[in-house]
Amino acid sequence: MLQDTVGRLEGLCANEQITIVTNAALVETVSEQLRTFPGVQIVGEPAKRDTAPCIALAAAIAFARDPEATMLIMPSDHLIADKELFTQAVRAAMSAIERDPEQLITFGIPPTYPAEVFGYIERGDEPLAGHVFPTFSVSRFREKPDAVTAAGFLATRRFYWNAGIFVWRAATVLTALREYEPNLMQLIDRIAATIDSPAFAETLAAEFPKIQGKSIDFAVMERYPHVRVIAAPFDWDDVGNWTAVERLQSLDPQGNAIDAARHIGINTQSCIIRGAGQKLLVTLGVSDLIIVQTGDATLIAHKRDEAAVKQVVDELEKRNWREFL
């Protein structure tokens, strides 16, 4: 999916204009995955600090190389089937930014069911004039809802899933971050002063962990007055959670999504099951579970608790059991 994400940029920019920001522990693996994309820059964060610091760092790098740079921000765990429609939508957003560089543009995904695992964007009443695809001012951002609230969002037809895909000028988002998050930007500016110099890696390692983590939605998008949302014309799915497997994989007659070489399921319904290698995995009398077996660890969770997997990651880091991450 990382390769697909980078490949989606073909025709939009050169490889040398692409920056991947990832965890420092994954730089070698990411480099191996992107060996067919020479020129892509990979930056390793020395600490996990959420999306605002990540985007601020990427924007600082883009701005240092081109003060007029327009950025496209994309997570690497999204499934977008129609590359051509995606390209058209990005070009439309870029044209809008050219007309009004003070905008911050996000893509909203028209919801197809009352999802509880996505954040939502509430749009304004009327579409804005002069746009290729339906584009609206953003009324507000909403956190992941419960089932009843999600159903209400769907019924109004005013809400989109928040895909976390953005288009904006690097200079604009940096200005917004300086206004709303001055402490964050003080540290980012120290790092930015060393971009493309031998001191960059050392400065990044020293300063980035001092940043307080925060999402870009909380840091900027919910506070900035000129946020626009384009109704995405392309099909989209976020494969950053296990329940996405049910949407993307064929289910057996009992509603199970199974990816295991050796699995015996007896009285097993609506489970997501993934096994490693030739290990036997047996389920008996269970339902609505996520069961993931790897070479050295096993995860068993109820589907409703999927979001709490992040707590497991935090606990592994606290115990310094990074080999299981």
Side-chain angles (χ1 to χ4, degrees):
M1 296 191 71
L2 175 62
Q3 294 170 5
D4 287 344
T5 303
V6 175
R8 208 171 289 138
L9 295 171
E10 183 181 5
L12 289 169
C13 65
N15 286 352
E16 290 74 18
Q17 295 172 292
I18 300 172
T19 299
I20 309 290
V21 183
T22 186
N23 189 283
L26 296 176
V27 167
E28 184 177 347
T29 301
V30 170
S31 299
E32 176 61 23
Q33 288 294 318
L34 298 181
R35 62 187 181 277
T36 58
F37 297 94
V40 172
Q41 179 182 9
I42 302 168
V43 178
E45 293 178 324
K48 185 173 63 175
R49 290 295 181 266
D50 216 326
T51 53
C54 171
I55 287 171
L57 177 60
I61 291 171
F63 181 82
R65 294 169 184 171
D66 178 5
E68 300 297 320
T70 296
M71 299 178 66
L72 166 64
I73 307 292
M74 296 189 299
S76 63
D77 58 357
H78 290 179
L79 184 66
I80 296 175
D82 194 324
K83 178 181 172 182
E84 181 58 34
L85 263 181
F86 176 80
T87 300
Q88 292 176 22
V90 171
R91 290 193 185 281
M94 292 168 63
S95 295
I97 294 296
E98 287 295 321
R99 295 193 300 271
D100 180 5
E102 297 306 307
Q103 296 180 93
L104 300 179
I105 294 180
T106 184
F107 287 97
I109 310 300
T112 54
Y113 66 97
E116 302 171 57
V117 295
F118 303 139
Y120 284 75
I121 302 168
E122 184 177 2
R123 64 169 175 80
D125 293 324
E126 298 295 330
L128 303 173
H131 292 268
V132 176
F133 299 103
T135 302
F136 300 84
S137 60
V138 171
S139 175
R140 58 180 169 168
F141 289 82
R142 300 290 291 266
E143 293 303 300
K144 297 174 183 178
D146 58 28
V148 173
T149 304
F153 288 171
L154 192 67
T156 68
R157 300 182 181 274
R158 291 173 51 88
F159 287 84
Y160 299 116
W161 289 333
N162 185 356
I165 303 174
F166 309 106
V167 178
W168 50 49
R169 285 280 179 90
T172 302
V173 75
L174 288 172
T175 297
L177 282 162
R178 285 195 179 90
E179 178 179 353
Y180 303 126
E181 299 292 335
N183 293 334
L184 182 157
M185 284 307 302
Q186 184 177 27
L187 295 165
I188 289 293
D189 285 339
R190 292 178 191 170
I191 298 167
T194 66
I195 289 171
D196 293 330
S197 80
F200 177 73
E202 181 180 353
T203 307
L204 179 65
E207 302 297 339
F208 196 85
K210 299 176 184 177
I211 296 172
Q212 182 178 357
K214 184 176 285 189
S215 76
I216 193 66
D217 288 348
F218 286 141
V220 173
M221 303 302 283
E222 295 183 1
R223 304 154 88 176
Y224 191 76
H226 307 299
V227 180
R228 307 289 182 255
V229 57
I230 295 177
F234 46 83
D235 291 334
W236 172 94
D237 208 322
D238 178 358
V239 196
N241 55 69
W242 282 107
T243 52
V245 175
E246 289 181 308
R247 301 191 297 271
L248 302 173
Q249 185 174 321
S250 297
L251 305 182
D252 72 7
Q254 287 72 46
N256 300 301
I258 301 172
D259 181 9
R262 296 184 177 183
H263 168 251
I264 296 174
I266 299 173
N267 192 21
T268 298
Q269 291 91 30
S270 301
C271 288
I272 299 167
I273 300 168
R274 176 165 293 190
Q278 296 298 310
K279 288 185 177 181
L280 174 63
L281 201 160
V282 179
T283 54
L284 174 61
V286 295
S287 61
D288 298 313
L289 295 182
I290 301 168
I291 303 169
V292 182
Q293 176 194 66
T294 67
D296 54 8
T298 301
L299 168 71
I300 302 172
H302 197 283
K303 287 180 184 177
R304 66 170 176 264
D305 295 324
E306 183 192 27
V309 170
K310 292 181 179 179
Q311 298 176 23
V312 178
V313 174
D314 292 340
E315 186 65 26
L316 290 172
E317 291 180 338
K318 186 188 303 181
R319 300 188 185 197
N320 201 27
W321 291 355
R322 295 179 177 275
E323 67 271 23
F324 298 109
L325 291 174

